[in-house]
Amino acid sequence: MPEIPQRAAAGRPLRVSTRDPDVARELGGRHFAPHEVRLALGHRLDFRLDVPPSARVTLGRLAYGADTWLTVPPMRECYHVNLPLSGSGAAEQDGARQETAAGRAGAAFGPDSALRVRWSPDALQYVIRFPRDLLEAHAAKLAGLRTGEPVRFDLAFDLSDGPGQALLATAGFLFAELARPGGVATVPAACRELEAALMTQLLMAAPHQLSPVLHGSARPTRRSTVREVMDFVDEHPTAAASTADLAAVAGVGARALQLAFREAVGMSPTAYLRAVRLERAHRDLASGAGGSVTEVAARWGFFHPSRFARQYRERFGVLPSETARGARP
């Protein structure tokens, strides 16, 4: 049996292709979940796996190049999500069976039951492994719960509507950033923010028992709660990364906080957080004592240079570099 490449590590992406079923099974099990692979009669494997380095959430791009069935025992410690980019397939768990297809339907699998998936020969997918404790804690934050509980997904979910398209876009952006040399894989705080965004998009796109809370009408939130969150952001602008984090500070659900912010402040909680961070970055750049543009941006939670430059210009009418040049003696 040929030598099997090691797991993707910090700063070292894994890119591998093989026709050996044993190598494919070992790599898939190492990065996502132990499983068995069965090919349709007459099909030959053309396995391709691309896994950029990551901290907590494992996000890969995977193809088998054959009509393939995968059988996976209960994963116990993780949730698994398939987002088809091309081709089609099927997903089975807990007696339910759903079709999946690029642009139409993805699949979300719980940790406590065995599952089966089929991939067509032309199937290419983002495959995502979420640690159980991480996803359940994030879901609890979004729903305003004190403690996490198992998330019972409906197996298949729509990829053609707004939430599904947002999930695909977020997964694609995170994959590209993790794979980019010198990208967010080297900045733990940036990884956490993007992973939180990916979990939020999944929980909004894939139906589960908490969906009515996340999508439904929220009980009114007092203006004093909004003021409390604003004060927290003003004092600790880098301590929270998402609406879920801010909702946890307030002890309310994410949707309730969003509605209350829009009524009281005219913007979302994350928009307010971004505005405060932009003000701090502007202050540091204007003072001339805060370091380079890149250093200042990272200090205040902006890890994508072009996005920071665009948001900064929208807010202040100039590029960050122009503010920095104007501050030089």
Side-chain angles (χ1 to χ4, degrees):
M1 182 173 174
E3 181 180 352
I4 298 174
Q6 296 300 307
R7 176 184 291 273
R12 296 205 310 269
L14 173 70
R15 296 184 180 90
V16 64
S17 61
T18 183
R19 292 188 178 277
D20 188 318
D22 291 331
V23 174
R25 183 173 59 251
E26 173 65 21
L27 286 171
R30 184 182 296 171
H31 286 86
F32 298 103
H35 62 284
E36 294 298 324
V37 180
R38 181 172 62 83
L39 305 181
L41 187 65
H43 282 244
R44 188 183 180 194
L45 191 73
D46 184 14
F47 178 86
R48 289 167 287 139
L49 176 63
D50 190 349
V51 183
S54 59
R56 303 173 299 176
V57 174
T58 303
L59 170 60
R61 194 165 52 194
L62 176 61
Y64 281 86
D67 193 340
T68 308
W69 276 101
L70 308 178
T71 302
V72 185
M75 298 173 289
R76 302 302 182 193
E77 299 303 321
C78 66
Y79 293 82
H80 190 87
V81 174
N82 289 350
L83 302 178
L85 301 172
S86 64
S88 61
E92 299 179 6
Q93 190 175 43
D94 289 329
R97 187 182 190 277
Q98 297 286 341
E99 301 297 318
T100 59
R104 295 207 305 270
F109 302 99
D112 295 323
S113 301
L115 63 98
R116 295 183 76 209
V117 294
R118 185 187 69 80
W119 290 17
S120 65
D122 58 342
L124 173 68
Q125 309 203 29
Y126 284 133
V127 287
I128 315 172
R129 180 187 186 276
F130 295 96
R132 180 172 189 159
D133 57 349
L134 183 68
L135 185 63
E136 291 176 1
H138 192 79
K141 284 183 182 180
L142 284 177
L145 303 176
R146 290 181 178 273
T147 59
E149 61 182 61
V151 182
R152 299 188 296 276
F153 289 108
D154 283 0
L155 187 58
F157 58 92
D158 194 349
L159 289 177
S160 65
D161 62 3
Q165 288 294 300
L167 173 60
L168 278 171
T170 303
F173 179 76
L174 178 55
F175 183 88
E177 278 298 302
L178 290 172
R180 182 170 63 89
V184 299
T186 63
V187 186
C191 284
R192 288 193 295 271
E193 289 202 15
L194 289 176
E195 287 173 350
L198 185 64
M199 289 187 289
T200 295
Q201 295 296 350
L202 170 65
L203 291 163
M204 299 303 292
H208 50 86
Q209 86 276 13
L210 297 177
S211 293
V213 178
L214 302 186
H215 292 283
S217 299
R219 289 180 297 177
T221 298
R222 294 175 301 175
R223 284 181 174 264
S224 60
T225 301
V226 173
R227 183 71 260 173
E228 177 186 348
V229 173
M230 293 174 68
D231 290 343
F232 177 84
V233 170
D234 292 341
E235 295 174 13
H236 312 284
T238 61
S242 67
T243 298
D245 293 333
L246 295 174
V249 169
V252 300
R255 181 166 175 77
L257 186 64
Q258 288 173 329
L259 293 175
F261 252 79
R262 290 200 178 279
E263 180 181 346
V265 189
M267 64 179 70
S268 69
T270 50
Y272 182 78
L273 174 62
R274 182 171 60 250
V276 170
R277 289 179 172 184
L278 283 170
E279 289 287 347
R280 303 300 170 86
H282 177 70
R283 180 194 65 190
D284 285 359
L285 290 171
S287 72
S292 69
V293 171
T294 301
E295 290 169 339
V296 169
R299 181 181 307 135
W300 296 111
F302 299 100
F303 304 105
H304 195 277
S306 62
R307 179 176 293 185
F308 170 63
R310 183 182 71 252
Q311 293 172 341
Y312 188 95
R313 182 164 57 182
E314 289 172 354
R315 173 66 182 84
F316 301 107
V318 296
L319 291 171
S321 56
E322 295 177 272
T323 300
R325 281 198 301 270
R328 292 171 189 161

